[in-house]
């Protein structure tokens, strides 16, 4: 093996002898490979010591390692989870990294520039820890609110998700680190995740989950796509010829490579179906993309051509993104800079859901404040699974939830940013007391004798495990109801991984949605509570009023599939998940179709100031443009999100987010914005093409998907492409 320094020297020595164009260079390099080298880049290991694999000395502990080819200047691929920060892997590296807020928190910012900065920060820290691939870009749409991985994703709308994901990938790859997008495709629940079958019509899939990937690929140009565990239309997503060869590579012209999820490969023929790299191969039954692939390539022209293409795609991404020109250099990370990025995102992600009588921001007159529950004395909650990120020293609180080889990633962990400490620092003249909430009577007594009660309510979610319902676990709903009954000035701060029900909502004074707020979450929450930051987050998902409102009130497989992180199920077990119920009408569109009123609508969020919207006009063309004004009509500086919705087409009424823009405004300031509308949002996928019907289209400027202004009508010409 040649270490990172040796690879750097070889790459520089050859840099003057190779073409600059990544496609030409990849083809030239691939032609120089020996037969043994041709399968070296097509498989990798999970780079952790407790799975029976020998980890090369130069490989940092992390998600994966793919051996390089030093004589050709091809570096090893060193891979880390994930989009929320450099993965902690149970502390194996004995270091820490900056934890960004959760994916839904980032989605709540509606701010591509901020998300791009977050991606760049994660990549810089990955680079400093020896990694050149970040397994980021989780963009599965939130179809199922009980999905354990929702906290990793950005929301329920394909346009919103695609734009933000493209920004994240762009930020990561700006630091010469390859980024993925995952999990391709329609990986919307964790129950039976290695075998459940997503059932959905092609048109509905193209107009929803696939559209999110298509937009993100166009905007971010990721080096890799990670295929999913689940089946789609009866075929494994990682061996799905339609998804990988037809949609991704032919229709979209994707030039990068497809890597498998870890343990998602079940046959050599996956190579012919479009898979380019077998990741974490020790988790599969066999190493399919090693000697077996080499032998097949020597005897079958289909595999020979495919193997050449697999290598060229991997090499192209390396060369286009520059992982060979700028190899990872291990160095200390800039902890302060990372923390500031995390805090900026957290502050812009917090959504004010309720504020009765101006209960927030907290008044300086509050002399006694009771802080209750949620381990607020110690830190803020983070989600479980491979995306787990922790700072130096590891989590401040850990609560085991499982045993076995994956226990470390299934630990309920809290990041060391104490909301209680931040509240006390912000209000030094008040008496701030704390109760852990284990006993309702104790919490009620504290609340009765306080001016304000602030309850921190948590919902831990994790990869590998879905939630059985949308309640707050461990009796927290009863705790909130009792405290709110004892003190009408009760504020609830939610740290949750997905949507929750709120049976106590009307009894509270205020509700703050803080998600999993990351490395500086405690400070961000306190700054919002006291008005140092005007909350500006907007919901990236719809909060249902009851489970009965969901397309599938009963979680598929909940009665037949045993919860399992691996998710393979019993031998021969099957599970079909019918997504044709809602089809392309995910989230807010389902509620509109059903004429159901959610608890909180997609795009909703309150502020400490007020905004006036409109008027709006639509400039027609091949890419119509919405022009509208937003004015801060209050007395505080704040940010708003202009949301443009398509509400009618020649085919009838509809509801689709067609464009958006976030804007910061000083008191009294008015700005006119122009937002280009993606024509695919106006179109229907029919007979393998996008189709816009000629006729009248109606648009509305909204404060959320459920609060829309007067429609504006424009006539558009029909076209197909």
């Amino acid at each position: 093996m040649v270490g990172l320094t040796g690879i750097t020297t070889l790459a520089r020595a050859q840099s003057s002898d190779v073409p600059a164009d990544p496609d030409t260079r990849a083809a030239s390099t691939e032609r120089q490979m020996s037969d043994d080298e041709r399968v070296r880049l097509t498989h990798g290991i999970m780079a952790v010591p407790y799975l029976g694999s020998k980890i090369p000395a130069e490989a940092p502990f992390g998600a994966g390692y793919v051996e390089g080819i030093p004589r050709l200047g091809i570096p090893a691929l060193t891979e880390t989870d994930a989009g929320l920060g450099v993965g902690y892997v149970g502390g194996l590296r004995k270091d820490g990294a900056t934890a960004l807020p959760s994916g839904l928190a980032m989605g709540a910012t509606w701010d591509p520039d901020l998300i791009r900065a977050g991606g760049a920060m994660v990549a810089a820290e990955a680079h400093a820890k020896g990694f050149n691939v970040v397994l980021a870009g989780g963009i599965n749409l939130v179809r199922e609110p009980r999905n354990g991985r929702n906290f990793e994703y950005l929301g329920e709308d394909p346009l919103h998700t695609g734009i933000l994901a493209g920004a994240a990938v762009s930020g990561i790859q700006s630091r010469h680190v390859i980024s993925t997008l995952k999990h391709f495709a329609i990986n919307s629940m964790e129950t039976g995740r290695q075998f459940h079958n997503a059932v959905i019509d092609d048109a509905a899939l193209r107009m929803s989950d696939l559209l999110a990937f298509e937009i993100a690929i166009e905007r971010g140009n990721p080096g890799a796509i990670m295929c999913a565990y689940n089946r789609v239309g009866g075929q494994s997503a990682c061996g799905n010829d339609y998804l990988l060869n037809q949609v991704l590579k032919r229709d979209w012209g994707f030039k990068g490579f497809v890597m498998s999820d870890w343990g998602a490969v079940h046959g050599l023929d996956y190579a012919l179906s479009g898979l380019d790299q077998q990741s974490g191969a020790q988790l599969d039954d066999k190493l399919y993309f090693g000697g077996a692939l080499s032998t097949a390539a020597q005897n079958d022209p289909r595999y020979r051509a495919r193997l050449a293409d697999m290598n060229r795609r991997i090499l192209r991404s390396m060369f286009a993104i520059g992982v060979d020109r700028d190899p990872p250099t291990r160095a200390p990370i800039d902890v302060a800079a990372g923390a500031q990025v995390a805090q900026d995102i957290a502050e812009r992600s917090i959504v004010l859901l309720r504020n009765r009588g101006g209960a927030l921001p907290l008044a300086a007159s509050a002399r006694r404040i009771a802080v209750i529950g949620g381990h607020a004395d110690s830190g803020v909650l983070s989600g479980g699974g491979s995306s787990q990120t922790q700072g130096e020293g590891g989590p401040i609180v850990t609560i085991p939830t499982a045993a076995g080889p994956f226990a470390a990633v299934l630990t309920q962990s809290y990041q060391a940013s104490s909301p209680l400490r931040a509240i006390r620092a912000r209000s030094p003249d008040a008496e701030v007391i704390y109760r852990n909430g284990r006993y309702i009577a104790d919490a009620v007594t504290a609340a009765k004798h306080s001016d304000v009660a602030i309850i921190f309510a948590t919902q831990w979610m994790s990869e590998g495990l879905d939630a059985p319902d949308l309640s707050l676990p461990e009796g927290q709903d009863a705790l909130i109801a009792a405290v709110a009954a004892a003190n009408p000035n009760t504020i609830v701060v939610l740290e949750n991984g997905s949507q929750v029900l709120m049976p106590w909502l009307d009894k509270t004074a205020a509700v703050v949605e803080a998600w999993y707020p990351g490395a500086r979450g405690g400070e961000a929450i306190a700054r919002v509570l006291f008005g140092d930051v005007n909350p500006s987050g907007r919901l990236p998902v719809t909060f249902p009023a009851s489970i009965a409102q969901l397309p599938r009130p009963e979680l598929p497989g909940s009665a037949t599939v045993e919860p399992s992180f691996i998710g393979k199920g019993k031998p021969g077990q099957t599970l079909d998940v019918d997504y044709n119920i809602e089809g392309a009408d995910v989230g807010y569109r389902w509620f509109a179709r059903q004429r159901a009123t959610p608890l909180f609508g997609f795009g909703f969020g309150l502020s400490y100031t007020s905004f006036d919207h409109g008027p709006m006009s639509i400039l027609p063309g091949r890419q119509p443009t919405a022009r509208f004004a937003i004015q801060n009509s209050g007395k505080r500086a704040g940010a708003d999100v202009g949301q443009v919705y398509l509400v009618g087409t020649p085919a009838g009424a509809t509801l689709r987010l067609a464009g958006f823009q976030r804007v910061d405004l000083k008191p009294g300031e008015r700005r006119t914005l122009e937002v280009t509308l993606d024509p695919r949002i106006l179109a229907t996928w029919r007979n393998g093409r996008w189709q816009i019907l000629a006729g009248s289209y109606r648009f509305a400027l909204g404060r959320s998907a459920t609060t829309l202004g007067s429609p504006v009508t424009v006539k558009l010409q029909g076209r197909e492409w």
Side-chain angles (χ1 to χ4, degrees):
M1 290 288 187
V2 175
L4 292 171
T5 302
I7 289 174
T8 303
T9 303
L10 286 166
R12 288 175 178 166
Q14 296 186 28
S15 63
S16 61
D17 302 325
V18 294
D21 174 69
D23 293 287
T24 304
R25 186 179 169 198
S28 173
T29 304
E30 184 273 326
R31 284 193 294 269
Q32 299 174 56
M33 288 181 173
S34 67
D35 287 345
D36 288 342
E37 289 169 342
R38 290 180 192 281
V39 294
R40 196 173 297 178
L41 297 180
T42 60
H43 64 87
I45 61 170
M46 189 172 184
V48 291
Y50 48 72
L51 287 171
S53 295
K54 183 179 180 181
I55 311 302
E58 68 270 23
F61 290 139
Y65 176 81
V66 178
E67 187 179 352
I69 307 173
R71 76 174 187 88
L72 296 177
I74 302 171
L77 293 178
T78 49
E79 302 165 334
T80 179
D81 291 303
L84 311 184
V86 179
Y88 188 57
V89 288
L92 286 173
R93 291 190 308 274
K94 303 187 185 306
D95 67 359
T98 301
L100 289 180
S102 66
L104 283 181
M106 288 190 270
T109 69
W110 294 61
D111 189 338
D113 292 337
L114 191 60
I115 302 310
R116 187 176 294 106
M121 184 279 293
V122 171
E125 294 195 356
H127 203 264
K129 295 177 183 296
F131 297 105
N132 57 19
V133 181
V134 174
L135 308 176
I139 65 168
N140 296 110
L141 297 188
V142 178
R143 286 179 174 268
E144 172 52 71
R146 293 160 292 198
N147 178 17
R149 297 192 84 165
N150 281 345
F151 73 91
E152 297 183 45
Y153 305 142
L154 292 164
E156 66 190 23
D157 179 80
L159 178 70
H160 166 271
T161 288
I163 289 174
L164 295 183
V169 169
S170 176
I172 290 168
Q173 296 190 161
S174 71
R175 308 304 293 261
H176 306 296
V177 173
I178 292 173
S179 177
T180 70
L181 285 172
K182 63 183 186 183
H183 308 86
F184 193 68
I186 199 162
N187 184 215
S188 298
M189 54 182 279
E190 293 294 278
T191 299
R193 63 176 176 160
Q194 291 246 24
F195 67 89
H196 79 247
N197 178 41
V199 179
I200 188 169
D201 292 339
D202 179 57
L205 185 56
R206 292 270 194 166
M207 295 169 64
S208 55
D209 301 70
L210 292 186
L211 182 56
F213 276 94
E214 186 177 6
I215 293 170
I217 289 169
E218 291 169 354
R219 288 174 172 263
N221 196 21
I225 298 293
M226 183 191 294
C227 50
Y229 284 125
N230 57 283
R231 295 175 177 270
V232 180
Q235 278 191 311
S236 168
C238 285
N240 196 304
D241 179 81
Y242 175 72
L243 285 179
L244 304 185
N245 283 332
Q246 182 171 327
V247 175
L248 181 64
K249 295 180 177 179
R250 190 198 73 182
D251 295 354
W252 298 349
F254 178 64
K255 293 185 176 182
F257 67 99
V258 180
M259 66 166 67
S260 72
D261 205 339
W262 273 231
V265 184
H266 308 297
L268 174 62
D269 61 341
Y270 280 31
L272 298 180
S273 296
L275 182 65
D276 299 304
Q277 192 176 72
Q278 181 181 9
S279 307
Q282 70 265 52
L283 297 181
D284 293 315
D285 292 336
K286 296 179 182 178
L287 173 59
Y288 298 103
F289 284 15
L293 178 59
S294 181
T295 299
Q298 293 169 23
N299 295 295
D300 187 330
R302 297 176 305 160
Y303 280 97
R304 184 159 55 250
R306 188 73 261 281
L307 183 55
D309 181 55
M310 293 160 74
N311 278 284
R312 292 182 184 194
R313 286 177 173 275
I314 297 167
L315 290 168
R316 185 200 184 277
S317 291
M318 287 184 173
F319 299 153
I321 295 163
V323 300
D324 59 321
R325 300 188 305 275
D326 185 17
T329 302
R330 301 199 192 195
I333 65 172
D334 190 335
V335 175
Q340 189 59 59
V341 172
Q343 184 170 334
D344 289 345
I345 294 174
E347 290 178 354
R348 286 182 167 240
S349 73
I350 291 173
V351 185
L352 182 60
L353 294 177
R354 176 175 168 83
N355 195 20
R356 184 187 66 202
L360 292 177
L362 288 172
S365 58
R367 308 311 304 162
R368 183 178 168 92
I369 301 172
V371 176
I372 299 167
H375 294 282
D377 59 330
S378 301
V380 290
L381 185 59
S382 62
S386 58
S387 67
Q388 178 64 232
T389 304
Q390 292 293 339
E392 196 70 38
I396 194 70
V397 174
T398 59
I399 304 171
T401 66
F406 297 101
V409 296
L410 288 174
T411 296
Q412 188 175 157
S413 300
Y414 286 74
Q415 284 142 358
S417 177
S418 164
L420 176 64
R421 184 171 61 247
I423 289 169
R424 283 175 171 163
R426 183 55 183 79
S427 188
D429 296 330
E431 182 184 7
V432 182
I433 62 173
Y434 176 73
R435 298 292 185 271
N436 60 26
R438 291 182 61 212
Y439 291 96
I440 291 178
D442 186 30
V444 166
T445 298
K448 280 182 177 179
H449 295 90
S450 298
D451 299 312
V452 179
I454 306 173
I455 302 180
F456 284 80
T458 60
Q459 176 211 38
W460 181 71
M461 304 286 278
S462 175
E463 173 185 356
L465 304 170
D466 291 327
D469 59 30
L470 299 182
S471 65
L472 290 171
E474 298 172 342
Q476 292 177 94
D477 286 322
L479 171 67
I480 295 170
V483 169
N487 187 333
N489 199 19
T490 291
I491 297 158
V492 178
V493 179
L494 292 167
E495 296 174 23
N496 48 311
S498 191
Q499 300 100 305
V500 295
L501 303 179
M502 304 180 199
W504 34 260
L505 179 64
D506 291 341
K507 299 178 182 179
T508 62
V511 178
V512 173
E513 174 57 83
W515 316 103
Y516 299 153
R520 295 294 294 275
E523 289 80 1
I525 291 168
R527 282 171 55 79
V528 168
L529 292 176
F530 285 94
D532 302 319
V533 170
N534 191 344
S536 58
R538 302 292 184 264
L539 291 180
V541 289
T542 303
F543 277 57
S546 72
I547 283 181
Q549 292 181 320
L550 301 180
R552 288 161 295 280
E554 181 177 315
L555 180 72
S558 58
T560 58
V561 179
E562 277 297 299
S564 164
F565 182 81
I566 297 297
K568 289 187 176 181
K570 300 173 183 177
Q573 191 169 21
T574 61
L575 174 63
D576 286 340
V577 184
D578 185 6
Y579 293 116
N580 281 319
I581 296 171
E582 73 272 27
D585 293 332
V586 181
Y588 67 91
R589 293 175 60 182
W590 166 257
F591 279 78
R593 191 171 102 186
Q594 298 298 110
R595 298 182 180 180
T597 301
L599 186 64
F600 293 108
F602 173 83
F604 176 82
L606 301 175
S607 172
Y608 296 154
T609 189
S610 56
F611 298 96
D612 294 332
H613 288 187
M616 181 176 72
S617 60
I618 303 294
L619 309 179
R622 291 182 70 83
Q623 282 195 302
T625 299
R627 178 182 293 163
F628 56 90
I630 298 180
Q631 181 173 8
N632 184 342
S633 53
K635 297 180 180 180
R636 289 176 177 261
D640 196 16
V641 179
Q643 305 167 39
V644 181
Y645 291 88
L646 174 69
V647 297
T649 75
T654 188
L655 185 63
R656 300 184 195 176
L657 180 70
F660 64 90
Q661 186 170 333
R662 180 187 174 105
V663 60
D664 290 276
L665 297 170
K666 299 174 183 177
E669 184 179 5
R670 183 178 188 271
R671 285 183 59 186
T672 298
L673 308 175
E674 289 191 354
V675 177
T676 301
L677 309 181
D678 192 311
R680 286 166 295 197
I681 304 301
L682 318 182
T684 300
W685 182 264
R686 183 173 290 123
N687 299 324
R689 296 173 64 83
W690 291 107
Q691 181 184 80
I692 292 181
L693 300 174
S696 295
Y697 288 75
R698 295 188 302 136
F699 299 86
L701 186 61
R703 299 178 186 274
S704 72
T706 56
T707 307
L708 302 173
S710 300
V712 174
T713 302
V714 63
K715 288 191 175 181
L716 300 178
Q717 295 181 347
R719 65 185 179 100
E720 291 187 4
W721 69 99

